[in-house]
PDB file of all heavy atoms in Angstrom:
ATOM      1  N   ALA Z   1     -16.580 -11.648  -0.024  1.00  0.00           N
ATOM      2  CA  ALA Z   1     -16.216 -10.813   1.119  1.00  0.00           C
ATOM      3  C   ALA Z   1     -14.705 -10.637   1.199  1.00  0.00           C
ATOM      4  O   ALA Z   1     -14.198  -9.523   1.417  1.00  0.00           O
ATOM      5  CB  ALA Z   1     -16.751 -11.427   2.412  1.00  0.00           C
ATOM      6  N   TRP Z   2     -13.942 -11.711   0.991  1.00  0.00           N
ATOM      7  CA  TRP Z   2     -12.488 -11.612   0.995  1.00  0.00           C
ATOM      8  C   TRP Z   2     -11.991 -10.759  -0.172  1.00  0.00           C
ATOM      9  O   TRP Z   2     -11.036  -9.995  -0.034  1.00  0.00           O
ATOM     10  CB  TRP Z   2     -11.855 -13.002   0.927  1.00  0.00           C
ATOM     11  CG  TRP Z   2     -11.801 -13.702   2.249  1.00  0.00           C
ATOM     12  CD1 TRP Z   2     -12.556 -14.754   2.678  1.00  0.00           C
ATOM     13  CD2 TRP Z   2     -10.925 -13.387   3.347  1.00  0.00           C
ATOM     14  NE1 TRP Z   2     -12.216 -15.105   3.953  1.00  0.00           N
ATOM     15  CE2 TRP Z   2     -11.220 -14.292   4.391  1.00  0.00           C
ATOM     16  CE3 TRP Z   2      -9.929 -12.433   3.544  1.00  0.00           C
ATOM     17  CZ2 TRP Z   2     -10.540 -14.262   5.613  1.00  0.00           C
ATOM     18  CZ3 TRP Z   2      -9.253 -12.404   4.761  1.00  0.00           C
ATOM     19  CH2 TRP Z   2      -9.559 -13.311   5.774  1.00  0.00           C
ATOM     20  N   MET Z   3     -12.647 -10.868  -1.308  1.00  0.00           N
ATOM     21  CA  MET Z   3     -12.244 -10.074  -2.470  1.00  0.00           C
ATOM     22  C   MET Z   3     -12.530  -8.588  -2.251  1.00  0.00           C
ATOM     23  O   MET Z   3     -11.738  -7.730  -2.649  1.00  0.00           O
ATOM     24  CB  MET Z   3     -12.932 -10.601  -3.726  1.00  0.00           C
ATOM     25  CG  MET Z   3     -12.502 -12.022  -4.095  1.00  0.00           C
ATOM     26  SD  MET Z   3     -13.427 -12.748  -5.462  1.00  0.00           S
ATOM     27  CE  MET Z   3     -12.708 -11.863  -6.860  1.00  0.00           C
ATOM     28  N   PHE Z   4     -13.662  -8.277  -1.610  1.00  0.00           N
ATOM     29  CA  PHE Z   4     -13.952  -6.884  -1.287  1.00  0.00           C
ATOM     30  C   PHE Z   4     -12.932  -6.370  -0.261  1.00  0.00           C
ATOM     31  O   PHE Z   4     -12.451  -5.237  -0.368  1.00  0.00           O
ATOM     32  CB  PHE Z   4     -15.364  -6.745  -0.716  1.00  0.00           C
ATOM     33  CG  PHE Z   4     -16.466  -7.122  -1.666  1.00  0.00           C
ATOM     34  CD1 PHE Z   4     -17.669  -7.636  -1.188  1.00  0.00           C
ATOM     35  CD2 PHE Z   4     -16.331  -6.981  -3.040  1.00  0.00           C
ATOM     36  CE1 PHE Z   4     -18.690  -7.984  -2.048  1.00  0.00           C
ATOM     37  CE2 PHE Z   4     -17.350  -7.331  -3.908  1.00  0.00           C
ATOM     38  CZ  PHE Z   4     -18.534  -7.835  -3.408  1.00  0.00           C
ATOM     39  N   TRP Z   5     -12.616  -7.210   0.719  1.00  0.00           N
ATOM     40  CA  TRP Z   5     -11.640  -6.837   1.752  1.00  0.00           C
ATOM     41  C   TRP Z   5     -10.268  -6.588   1.143  1.00  0.00           C
ATOM     42  O   TRP Z   5      -9.565  -5.656   1.541  1.00  0.00           O
ATOM     43  CB  TRP Z   5     -11.574  -7.958   2.791  1.00  0.00           C
ATOM     44  CG  TRP Z   5     -10.633  -7.725   3.929  1.00  0.00           C
ATOM     45  CD1 TRP Z   5     -10.851  -6.969   5.047  1.00  0.00           C
ATOM     46  CD2 TRP Z   5      -9.308  -8.276   4.082  1.00  0.00           C
ATOM     47  NE1 TRP Z   5      -9.754  -7.018   5.880  1.00  0.00           N
ATOM     48  CE2 TRP Z   5      -8.796  -7.815   5.316  1.00  0.00           C
ATOM     49  CE3 TRP Z   5      -8.525  -9.121   3.302  1.00  0.00           C
ATOM     50  CZ2 TRP Z   5      -7.529  -8.162   5.779  1.00  0.00           C
ATOM     51  CZ3 TRP Z   5      -7.261  -9.483   3.762  1.00  0.00           C
ATOM     52  CH2 TRP Z   5      -6.776  -8.996   4.987  1.00  0.00           C
ATOM     53  N   GLU Z   6      -9.919  -7.372   0.140  1.00  0.00           N
ATOM     54  CA  GLU Z   6      -8.625  -7.206  -0.518  1.00  0.00           C
ATOM     55  C   GLU Z   6      -8.501  -5.809  -1.115  1.00  0.00           C
ATOM     56  O   GLU Z   6      -7.474  -5.140  -0.957  1.00  0.00           O
ATOM     57  CB  GLU Z   6      -8.448  -8.275  -1.606  1.00  0.00           C
ATOM     58  CG  GLU Z   6      -7.080  -8.286  -2.264  1.00  0.00           C
ATOM     59  CD  GLU Z   6      -7.034  -7.546  -3.594  1.00  0.00           C
ATOM     60  OE1 GLU Z   6      -8.111  -7.108  -4.073  1.00  0.00           O
ATOM     61  OE2 GLU Z   6      -5.936  -7.410  -4.151  1.00  0.00           O
ATOM     62  N   GLN Z   7      -9.533  -5.343  -1.789  1.00  0.00           N
ATOM     63  CA  GLN Z   7      -9.468  -4.035  -2.415  1.00  0.00           C
ATOM     64  C   GLN Z   7      -9.669  -2.903  -1.409  1.00  0.00           C
ATOM     65  O   GLN Z   7      -9.054  -1.847  -1.515  1.00  0.00           O
ATOM     66  CB  GLN Z   7     -10.503  -3.919  -3.528  1.00  0.00           C
ATOM     67  CG  GLN Z   7     -10.156  -4.700  -4.781  1.00  0.00           C
ATOM     68  CD  GLN Z   7      -8.984  -4.087  -5.543  1.00  0.00           C
ATOM     69  OE1 GLN Z   7      -9.102  -3.056  -6.178  1.00  0.00           O
ATOM     70  NE2 GLN Z   7      -7.833  -4.745  -5.472  1.00  0.00           N
ATOM     71  N   ASN Z   8     -10.504  -3.127  -0.408  1.00  0.00           N
ATOM     72  CA  ASN Z   8     -10.851  -2.075   0.545  1.00  0.00           C
ATOM     73  C   ASN Z   8      -9.814  -1.902   1.647  1.00  0.00           C
ATOM     74  O   ASN Z   8      -9.631  -0.790   2.161  1.00  0.00           O
ATOM     75  CB  ASN Z   8     -12.224  -2.380   1.156  1.00  0.00           C
ATOM     76  CG  ASN Z   8     -12.690  -1.306   2.117  1.00  0.00           C
ATOM     77  OD1 ASN Z   8     -12.623  -1.473   3.325  1.00  0.00           O
ATOM     78  ND2 ASN Z   8     -13.162  -0.202   1.570  1.00  0.00           N
ATOM     79  N   GLN Z   9      -9.124  -2.979   2.041  1.00  0.00           N
ATOM     80  CA  GLN Z   9      -8.192  -2.936   3.157  1.00  0.00           C
ATOM     81  C   GLN Z   9      -6.768  -3.339   2.759  1.00  0.00           C
ATOM     82  O   GLN Z   9      -5.830  -2.562   2.878  1.00  0.00           O
ATOM     83  CB  GLN Z   9      -8.690  -3.881   4.279  1.00  0.00           C
ATOM     84  CG  GLN Z   9     -10.060  -3.541   4.827  1.00  0.00           C
ATOM     85  CD  GLN Z   9     -10.045  -2.284   5.673  1.00  0.00           C
ATOM     86  OE1 GLN Z   9      -9.067  -2.026   6.376  1.00  0.00           O
ATOM     87  NE2 GLN Z   9     -11.092  -1.492   5.601  1.00  0.00           N
ATOM     88  N   HIS Z  10      -6.636  -4.552   2.264  1.00  0.00           N
ATOM     89  CA  HIS Z  10      -5.335  -5.180   2.026  1.00  0.00           C
ATOM     90  C   HIS Z  10      -4.517  -4.434   0.965  1.00  0.00           C
ATOM     91  O   HIS Z  10      -3.362  -4.069   1.183  1.00  0.00           O
ATOM     92  CB  HIS Z  10      -5.587  -6.634   1.622  1.00  0.00           C
ATOM     93  CG  HIS Z  10      -4.395  -7.482   1.383  1.00  0.00           C
ATOM     94  ND1 HIS Z  10      -3.689  -7.468   0.200  1.00  0.00           N
ATOM     95  CD2 HIS Z  10      -3.796  -8.413   2.162  1.00  0.00           C
ATOM     96  CE1 HIS Z  10      -2.714  -8.347   0.259  1.00  0.00           C
ATOM     97  NE2 HIS Z  10      -2.742  -8.931   1.444  1.00  0.00           N
ATOM     98  N   GLU Z  11      -5.107  -4.211  -0.201  1.00  0.00           N
ATOM     99  CA  GLU Z  11      -4.369  -3.628  -1.317  1.00  0.00           C
ATOM    100  C   GLU Z  11      -3.880  -2.220  -1.013  1.00  0.00           C
ATOM    101  O   GLU Z  11      -2.769  -1.840  -1.392  1.00  0.00           O
ATOM    102  CB  GLU Z  11      -5.254  -3.633  -2.575  1.00  0.00           C
ATOM    103  CG  GLU Z  11      -4.486  -3.397  -3.862  1.00  0.00           C
ATOM    104  CD  GLU Z  11      -4.761  -2.042  -4.465  1.00  0.00           C
ATOM    105  OE1 GLU Z  11      -5.427  -1.224  -3.818  1.00  0.00           O
ATOM    106  OE2 GLU Z  11      -4.295  -1.799  -5.582  1.00  0.00           O
ATOM    107  N   GLY Z  12      -4.670  -1.452  -0.284  1.00  0.00           N
ATOM    108  CA  GLY Z  12      -4.307  -0.085   0.031  1.00  0.00           C
ATOM    109  C   GLY Z  12      -3.178   0.052   1.033  1.00  0.00           C
ATOM    110  O   GLY Z  12      -2.690   1.162   1.270  1.00  0.00           O
ATOM    111  N   VAL Z  13      -2.763  -1.069   1.620  1.00  0.00           N
ATOM    112  CA  VAL Z  13      -1.643  -1.066   2.562  1.00  0.00           C
ATOM    113  C   VAL Z  13      -0.487  -1.901   2.019  1.00  0.00           C
ATOM    114  O   VAL Z  13       0.619  -1.402   1.805  1.00  0.00           O
ATOM    115  CB  VAL Z  13      -2.081  -1.596   3.941  1.00  0.00           C
ATOM    116  CG1 VAL Z  13      -0.877  -1.726   4.872  1.00  0.00           C
ATOM    117  CG2 VAL Z  13      -3.133  -0.687   4.553  1.00  0.00           C
ATOM    118  N   ILE Z  14      -0.746  -3.177   1.764  1.00  0.00           N
ATOM    119  CA  ILE Z  14       0.310  -4.092   1.321  1.00  0.00           C
ATOM    120  C   ILE Z  14       0.881  -3.644  -0.020  1.00  0.00           C
ATOM    121  O   ILE Z  14       2.099  -3.529  -0.199  1.00  0.00           O
ATOM    122  CB  ILE Z  14      -0.227  -5.534   1.218  1.00  0.00           C
ATOM    123  CG1 ILE Z  14      -0.847  -5.998   2.550  1.00  0.00           C
ATOM    124  CG2 ILE Z  14       0.878  -6.485   0.760  1.00  0.00           C
ATOM    125  CD1 ILE Z  14       0.115  -6.125   3.691  1.00  0.00           C
ATOM    126  N   ALA Z  15       0.003  -3.381  -0.983  1.00  0.00           N
ATOM    127  CA  ALA Z  15       0.464  -2.977  -2.310  1.00  0.00           C
ATOM    128  C   ALA Z  15       1.054  -1.575  -2.304  1.00  0.00           C
ATOM    129  O   ALA Z  15       2.043  -1.304  -2.993  1.00  0.00           O
ATOM    130  CB  ALA Z  15      -0.683  -3.061  -3.309  1.00  0.00           C
ATOM    131  N   VAL Z  16       0.473  -0.681  -1.532  1.00  0.00           N
ATOM    132  CA  VAL Z  16       0.953   0.692  -1.513  1.00  0.00           C
ATOM    133  C   VAL Z  16       2.356   0.768  -0.926  1.00  0.00           C
ATOM    134  O   VAL Z  16       3.223   1.475  -1.452  1.00  0.00           O
ATOM    135  CB  VAL Z  16      -0.024   1.601  -0.739  1.00  0.00           C
ATOM    136  CG1 VAL Z  16       0.614   2.950  -0.427  1.00  0.00           C
ATOM    137  CG2 VAL Z  16      -1.299   1.804  -1.549  1.00  0.00           C
ATOM    138  N   ARG Z  17       2.616   0.027   0.157  1.00  0.00           N
ATOM    139  CA  ARG Z  17       3.975   0.065   0.728  1.00  0.00           C
ATOM    140  C   ARG Z  17       5.001  -0.475  -0.272  1.00  0.00           C
ATOM    141  O   ARG Z  17       6.102   0.067  -0.407  1.00  0.00           O
ATOM    142  CB  ARG Z  17       4.048  -0.717   2.034  1.00  0.00           C
ATOM    143  CG  ARG Z  17       5.330  -0.431   2.821  1.00  0.00           C
ATOM    144  CD  ARG Z  17       5.329  -1.084   4.197  1.00  0.00           C
ATOM    145  NE  ARG Z  17       6.334  -0.489   5.061  1.00  0.00           N
ATOM    146  CZ  ARG Z  17       7.625  -0.821   5.080  1.00  0.00           C
ATOM    147  NH1 ARG Z  17       8.077  -1.760   4.247  1.00  0.00           N
ATOM    148  NH2 ARG Z  17       8.470  -0.229   5.902  1.00  0.00           N
ATOM    149  N   ALA Z  18       4.632  -1.540  -0.975  1.00  0.00           N
ATOM    150  CA  ALA Z  18       5.534  -2.080  -1.989  1.00  0.00           C
ATOM    151  C   ALA Z  18       5.764  -1.078  -3.111  1.00  0.00           C
ATOM    152  O   ALA Z  18       6.892  -0.913  -3.590  1.00  0.00           O
ATOM    153  CB  ALA Z  18       4.968  -3.380  -2.546  1.00  0.00           C
ATOM    154  N   ALA Z  19       4.712  -0.381  -3.528  1.00  0.00           N
ATOM    155  CA  ALA Z  19       4.844   0.602  -4.601  1.00  0.00           C
ATOM    156  C   ALA Z  19       5.734   1.759  -4.180  1.00  0.00           C
ATOM    157  O   ALA Z  19       6.583   2.230  -4.957  1.00  0.00           O
ATOM    158  CB  ALA Z  19       3.460   1.120  -5.006  1.00  0.00           C
ATOM    159  N   LEU Z  20       5.571   2.220  -2.955  1.00  0.00           N
ATOM    160  CA  LEU Z  20       6.398   3.320  -2.468  1.00  0.00           C
ATOM    161  C   LEU Z  20       7.867   2.911  -2.400  1.00  0.00           C
ATOM    162  O   LEU Z  20       8.764   3.737  -2.620  1.00  0.00           O
ATOM    163  CB  LEU Z  20       5.918   3.770  -1.084  1.00  0.00           C
ATOM    164  CG  LEU Z  20       4.543   4.442  -1.025  1.00  0.00           C
ATOM    165  CD1 LEU Z  20       4.163   4.749   0.415  1.00  0.00           C
ATOM    166  CD2 LEU Z  20       4.507   5.704  -1.860  1.00  0.00           C
ATOM    167  N   ALA Z  21       8.098   1.636  -2.105  1.00  0.00           N
ATOM    168  CA  ALA Z  21       9.466   1.148  -1.983  1.00  0.00           C
ATOM    169  C   ALA Z  21      10.106   0.849  -3.336  1.00  0.00           C
ATOM    170  O   ALA Z  21      11.333   0.928  -3.468  1.00  0.00           O
ATOM    171  CB  ALA Z  21       9.492  -0.106  -1.110  1.00  0.00           C
ATOM    172  N   CYS Z  22       9.293   0.510  -4.337  1.00  0.00           N
ATOM    173  CA  CYS Z  22       9.844  -0.025  -5.592  1.00  0.00           C
ATOM    174  C   CYS Z  22       9.756   0.904  -6.788  1.00  0.00           C
ATOM    175  O   CYS Z  22      10.578   0.799  -7.701  1.00  0.00           O
ATOM    176  CB  CYS Z  22       9.143  -1.346  -5.932  1.00  0.00           C
ATOM    177  SG  CYS Z  22       9.407  -2.657  -4.709  1.00  0.00           S
ATOM    178  N   TYR Z  23       8.756   1.792  -6.838  1.00  0.00           N
ATOM    179  CA  TYR Z  23       8.579   2.639  -8.006  1.00  0.00           C
ATOM    180  C   TYR Z  23       9.300   3.975  -7.805  1.00  0.00           C
ATOM    181  O   TYR Z  23       8.985   4.713  -6.857  1.00  0.00           O
ATOM    182  CB  TYR Z  23       7.107   2.905  -8.277  1.00  0.00           C
ATOM    183  CG  TYR Z  23       6.330   1.709  -8.762  1.00  0.00           C
ATOM    184  CD1 TYR Z  23       5.111   1.352  -8.168  1.00  0.00           C
ATOM    185  CD2 TYR Z  23       6.787   0.929  -9.828  1.00  0.00           C
ATOM    186  CE1 TYR Z  23       4.383   0.261  -8.623  1.00  0.00           C
ATOM    187  CE2 TYR Z  23       6.070  -0.157 -10.280  1.00  0.00           C
ATOM    188  CZ  TYR Z  23       4.870  -0.492  -9.674  1.00  0.00           C
ATOM    189  OH  TYR Z  23       4.158  -1.561 -10.120  1.00  0.00           O
ATOM    190  N   PRO Z  24      10.249   4.311  -8.680  1.00  0.00           N
ATOM    191  CA  PRO Z  24      10.988   5.571  -8.522  1.00  0.00           C
ATOM    192  C   PRO Z  24      10.085   6.804  -8.453  1.00  0.00           C
ATOM    193  O   PRO Z  24      10.384   7.754  -7.712  1.00  0.00           O
ATOM    194  CB  PRO Z  24      11.877   5.607  -9.772  1.00  0.00           C
ATOM    195  CG  PRO Z  24      12.076   4.169 -10.140  1.00  0.00           C
ATOM    196  CD  PRO Z  24      10.770   3.504  -9.812  1.00  0.00           C
ATOM    197  N   HIS Z  25       8.972   6.787  -9.196  1.00  0.00           N
ATOM    198  CA  HIS Z  25       8.123   7.975  -9.203  1.00  0.00           C
ATOM    199  C   HIS Z  25       7.276   8.104  -7.932  1.00  0.00           C
ATOM    200  O   HIS Z  25       6.574   9.103  -7.756  1.00  0.00           O
ATOM    201  CB  HIS Z  25       7.218   7.974 -10.435  1.00  0.00           C
ATOM    202  CG  HIS Z  25       6.178   6.902 -10.450  1.00  0.00           C
ATOM    203  ND1 HIS Z  25       6.465   5.588 -10.730  1.00  0.00           N
ATOM    204  CD2 HIS Z  25       4.841   6.949 -10.202  1.00  0.00           C
ATOM    205  CE1 HIS Z  25       5.355   4.872 -10.677  1.00  0.00           C
ATOM    206  NE2 HIS Z  25       4.364   5.679 -10.352  1.00  0.00           N
ATOM    207  N   ARG Z  26       7.370   7.089  -7.041  1.00  0.00           N
ATOM    208  CA  ARG Z  26       6.628   7.158  -5.781  1.00  0.00           C
ATOM    209  C   ARG Z  26       7.521   7.428  -4.572  1.00  0.00           C
ATOM    210  O   ARG Z  26       7.019   7.549  -3.448  1.00  0.00           O
ATOM    211  CB  ARG Z  26       5.877   5.828  -5.547  1.00  0.00           C
ATOM    212  CG  ARG Z  26       4.864   5.425  -6.611  1.00  0.00           C
ATOM    213  CD  ARG Z  26       3.617   6.270  -6.574  1.00  0.00           C
ATOM    214  NE  ARG Z  26       2.909   6.193  -5.313  1.00  0.00           N
ATOM    215  CZ  ARG Z  26       1.987   5.251  -5.030  1.00  0.00           C
ATOM    216  NH1 ARG Z  26       1.687   4.326  -5.933  1.00  0.00           N
ATOM    217  NH2 ARG Z  26       1.357   5.265  -3.874  1.00  0.00           N
ATOM    218  N   THR Z  27       8.826   7.493  -4.781  1.00  0.00           N
ATOM    219  CA  THR Z  27       9.747   7.572  -3.646  1.00  0.00           C
ATOM    220  C   THR Z  27       9.552   8.842  -2.808  1.00  0.00           C
ATOM    221  O   THR Z  27       9.812   8.833  -1.604  1.00  0.00           O
ATOM    222  CB  THR Z  27      11.212   7.497  -4.119  1.00  0.00           C
ATOM    223  OG1 THR Z  27      11.443   8.499  -5.116  1.00  0.00           O
ATOM    224  CG2 THR Z  27      11.530   6.135  -4.705  1.00  0.00           C
ATOM    225  N   ALA Z  28       9.120   9.918  -3.424  1.00  0.00           N
ATOM    226  CA  ALA Z  28       8.919  11.155  -2.666  1.00  0.00           C
ATOM    227  C   ALA Z  28       7.857  10.998  -1.590  1.00  0.00           C
ATOM    228  O   ALA Z  28       7.864  11.720  -0.576  1.00  0.00           O
ATOM    229  CB  ALA Z  28       8.541  12.297  -3.614  1.00  0.00           C
ATOM    230  N   ASP Z  29       6.939  10.069  -1.797  1.00  0.00           N
ATOM    231  CA  ASP Z  29       5.867   9.833  -0.822  1.00  0.00           C
ATOM    232  C   ASP Z  29       6.256   8.817   0.246  1.00  0.00           C
ATOM    233  O   ASP Z  29       5.501   8.596   1.193  1.00  0.00           O
ATOM    234  CB  ASP Z  29       4.609   9.335  -1.537  1.00  0.00           C
ATOM    235  CG  ASP Z  29       4.053  10.367  -2.508  1.00  0.00           C
ATOM    236  OD1 ASP Z  29       4.098  11.562  -2.167  1.00  0.00           O
ATOM    237  OD2 ASP Z  29       3.584   9.976  -3.586  1.00  0.00           O
ATOM    238  N   ALA Z  30       7.428   8.204   0.087  1.00  0.00           N
ATOM    239  CA  ALA Z  30       7.844   7.143   1.015  1.00  0.00           C
ATOM    240  C   ALA Z  30       8.565   7.730   2.216  1.00  0.00           C
ATOM    241  O   ALA Z  30       9.733   7.423   2.493  1.00  0.00           O
ATOM    242  CB  ALA Z  30       8.725   6.138   0.284  1.00  0.00           C
ATOM    243  N   THR Z  31       7.879   8.582   2.960  1.00  0.00           N
ATOM    244  CA  THR Z  31       8.478   9.164   4.153  1.00  0.00           C
ATOM    245  C   THR Z  31       8.631   8.092   5.228  1.00  0.00           C
ATOM    246  O   THR Z  31       7.864   7.113   5.249  1.00  0.00           O
ATOM    247  CB  THR Z  31       7.616  10.296   4.696  1.00  0.00           C
ATOM    248  OG1 THR Z  31       6.352   9.756   5.105  1.00  0.00           O
ATOM    249  CG2 THR Z  31       7.390  11.371   3.644  1.00  0.00           C
ATOM    250  N   PRO Z  32       9.587   8.218   6.125  1.00  0.00           N
ATOM    251  CA  PRO Z  32       9.735   7.225   7.202  1.00  0.00           C
ATOM    252  C   PRO Z  32       8.457   7.030   8.008  1.00  0.00           C
ATOM    253  O   PRO Z  32       8.121   5.902   8.384  1.00  0.00           O
ATOM    254  CB  PRO Z  32      10.865   7.806   8.061  1.00  0.00           C
ATOM    255  CG  PRO Z  32      11.660   8.642   7.119  1.00  0.00           C
ATOM    256  CD  PRO Z  32      10.656   9.233   6.168  1.00  0.00           C
ATOM    257  N   GLU Z  33       7.753   8.120   8.253  1.00  0.00           N
ATOM    258  CA  GLU Z  33       6.519   8.020   9.040  1.00  0.00           C
ATOM    259  C   GLU Z  33       5.458   7.213   8.307  1.00  0.00           C
ATOM    260  O   GLU Z  33       4.790   6.354   8.906  1.00  0.00           O
ATOM    261  CB  GLU Z  33       5.979   9.424   9.356  1.00  0.00           C
ATOM    262  CG  GLU Z  33       6.878  10.271  10.235  1.00  0.00           C
ATOM    263  CD  GLU Z  33       8.051  10.893   9.490  1.00  0.00           C
ATOM    264  OE1 GLU Z  33       8.061  10.857   8.234  1.00  0.00           O
ATOM    265  OE2 GLU Z  33       8.960  11.410  10.162  1.00  0.00           O
ATOM    266  N   ARG Z  34       5.302   7.480   7.015  1.00  0.00           N
ATOM    267  CA  ARG Z  34       4.282   6.749   6.263  1.00  0.00           C
ATOM    268  C   ARG Z  34       4.653   5.282   6.107  1.00  0.00           C
ATOM    269  O   ARG Z  34       3.800   4.405   6.231  1.00  0.00           O
ATOM    270  CB  ARG Z  34       4.081   7.386   4.879  1.00  0.00           C
ATOM    271  CG  ARG Z  34       2.896   6.778   4.148  1.00  0.00           C
ATOM    272  CD  ARG Z  34       2.603   7.445   2.836  1.00  0.00           C
ATOM    273  NE  ARG Z  34       1.384   6.925   2.260  1.00  0.00           N
ATOM    274  CZ  ARG Z  34       1.008   7.124   0.998  1.00  0.00           C
ATOM    275  NH1 ARG Z  34       1.764   7.853   0.183  1.00  0.00           N
ATOM    276  NH2 ARG Z  34      -0.117   6.610   0.544  1.00  0.00           N
ATOM    277  N   MET Z  35       5.919   5.002   5.844  1.00  0.00           N
ATOM    278  CA  MET Z  35       6.344   3.613   5.683  1.00  0.00           C
ATOM    279  C   MET Z  35       6.168   2.832   6.977  1.00  0.00           C
ATOM    280  O   MET Z  35       5.759   1.659   6.960  1.00  0.00           O
ATOM    281  CB  MET Z  35       7.794   3.566   5.210  1.00  0.00           C
ATOM    282  CG  MET Z  35       8.015   4.160   3.813  1.00  0.00           C
ATOM    283  SD  MET Z  35       7.091   3.321   2.502  1.00  0.00           S
ATOM    284  CE  MET Z  35       8.191   1.918   2.197  1.00  0.00           C
ATOM    285  N   ALA Z  36       6.445   3.473   8.104  1.00  0.00           N
ATOM    286  CA  ALA Z  36       6.266   2.810   9.393  1.00  0.00           C
ATOM    287  C   ALA Z  36       4.798   2.527   9.666  1.00  0.00           C
ATOM    288  O   ALA Z  36       4.434   1.451  10.163  1.00  0.00           O
ATOM    289  CB  ALA Z  36       6.862   3.670  10.506  1.00  0.00           C
ATOM    290  N   ALA Z  37       3.942   3.492   9.341  1.00  0.00           N
ATOM    291  CA  ALA Z  37       2.507   3.297   9.557  1.00  0.00           C
ATOM    292  C   ALA Z  37       1.967   2.186   8.674  1.00  0.00           C
ATOM    293  O   ALA Z  37       1.151   1.363   9.117  1.00  0.00           O
ATOM    294  CB  ALA Z  37       1.762   4.610   9.283  1.00  0.00           C
ATOM    295  N   LEU Z  38       2.422   2.132   7.433  1.00  0.00           N
ATOM    296  CA  LEU Z  38       1.981   1.073   6.524  1.00  0.00           C
ATOM    297  C   LEU Z  38       2.495  -0.297   6.978  1.00  0.00           C
ATOM    298  O   LEU Z  38       1.790  -1.301   6.848  1.00  0.00           O
ATOM    299  CB  LEU Z  38       2.460   1.365   5.102  1.00  0.00           C
ATOM    300  CG  LEU Z  38       1.752   2.515   4.382  1.00  0.00           C
ATOM    301  CD1 LEU Z  38       2.496   2.878   3.096  1.00  0.00           C
ATOM    302  CD2 LEU Z  38       0.299   2.143   4.067  1.00  0.00           C
TER     303      LEU Z  38
END
C-alpha cells in the first residue's frame, strides 16, 4: 500500500518539484504558481 501510494501520490509531487527545480529541460514548466502548489 505504501509502495502504491509512493507512485500514485508522493512521487508525482515530491519528485516532480525536484525535477522542475534541478533539470534544465524542465525549467520552463517551473512556474511560480506550479512550484507553490507542489
Side-chain angles (χ1 to χ4, degrees):
W2 279 107
M3 295 173 75
F4 297 150
W5 181 81
E6 186 262 354
Q7 286 290 287
N8 182 257
Q9 300 288 325
H10 182 279
E11 195 251 8
V13 174
I14 304 295
V16 167
R17 194 173 197 277
L20 292 176
C22 297
Y23 290 131
H25 68 284
R26 300 287 300 273
T27 54
D29 297 322
T31 64
E33 296 78 12
R34 188 176 186 194
M35 295 300 278
L38 288 169

